[in-house]
Amino acid sequence: MERAAFLGLGAIGRPIAAHLGKHYDLTVWNRTGGRAAEFAARHGARTATTPRQAVSAAAVVLTCLPTSQEVEALLDGPEGLLAGLQAGALFLDCTSGDPEGALRIARRLSGAAVAFADCPVSGGTNGAEAGALTIMVGSDRATFERARPVLAHFGKLIEHLGPVGAGSALKAINNALLATNILTFGEGFAGLAKAGVPVRKALEVLNASSG
């Protein structure tokens, strides 16, 4: 069975890693070591104490961290990713990062002959648990074709959007639109409440009219 590494067992990363563990000899790493140990005991994965150890001998590496900066911070040092990555590996970053960060990471990995794609996901924890995430991919075409079967283990809609950084760009816009909708909703219903309209009743009417 091919070896894979997964770094970042947060709310989204944990179910993604669980899906991958069904298809790969999986090693996991997390900044909170107890979370990695708990995951490994439940899913039969290996654990690593450092990023270098996690990716050693792995053909496929996935990260799912809060921002691109956290991913970049794992690259360097004697126990960093670059010290353990093997030439020819495939590195898929599912972090909701930024395009510039994705490009910096790609350049660093290119020097180690490691293929890179930024692959942020959408669909929340429910989508991750169901293996039905939307995955926005930025990479060259050859890397995308290598990545697609890996991403298919936890994604339903997998779209190649352009070069490195394209996936992160779309995810940023997606988050901005979501934030705008939440703000609009909140302001609108605050206005209704001030006007004396029962908020619950307003929701019922709006739901009925949109059906």
Side-chain angles (χ1 to χ4, degrees), residues 113-135:
V114 173
F116 175 81
D118 55 308
C119 311
V121 302
S122 180
T125 54
N126 289 338
E129 294 283 355
L133 292 167
T134 294
I135 307 178

Side-chain angles (χ1 to χ4, degrees), residues 63-122:
T63 46
C64 190
L65 297 171
T67 70
S68 296
Q69 285 68 39
E70 277 85 357
V71 180
E72 290 184 86
L74 297 184
L75 293 176
D76 294 315
E79 297 301 328
L81 292 171
L82 286 170
L85 282 165
Q86 61 180 2
L90 175 64
F91 193 118
L92 306 177
D93 184 19
C94 297
T95 300
S96 293
D98 60 270
E100 295 79 10
L103 286 166
R104 288 193 300 269
I105 295 167
R107 285 193 290 267
R108 298 291 307 282
L109 295 176
S110 177
V114 173
F116 175 81
D118 55 308
C119 311
V121 302
S122 180

Side-chain angles (χ1 to χ4, degrees), residues 6-23:
F6 196 96
L7 297 91
L9 298 170
I12 300 295
R14 190 164 55 251
I16 292 177
H19 288 297
L20 289 170
K22 300 172 185 176
H23 306 278

Side-chain angles (χ1 to χ4, degrees), residues 35-58:
R35 182 172 291 180
E38 179 185 357
F39 177 93
R42 182 174 180 181
H43 298 282
R46 306 167 187 265
T47 59
T49 57
T50 66
R52 176 183 179 175
Q53 184 184 28
V55 303
S56 178

Side-chain angles (χ1 to χ4, degrees), residues 171-189:
K171 182 60 190 292
I173 294 301
N174 177 73
N175 287 351
L177 292 173
L178 177 62
T180 299
N181 287 336
I182 293 172
L183 178 61
T184 302
F185 181 91
E187 291 293 333
F189 276 84

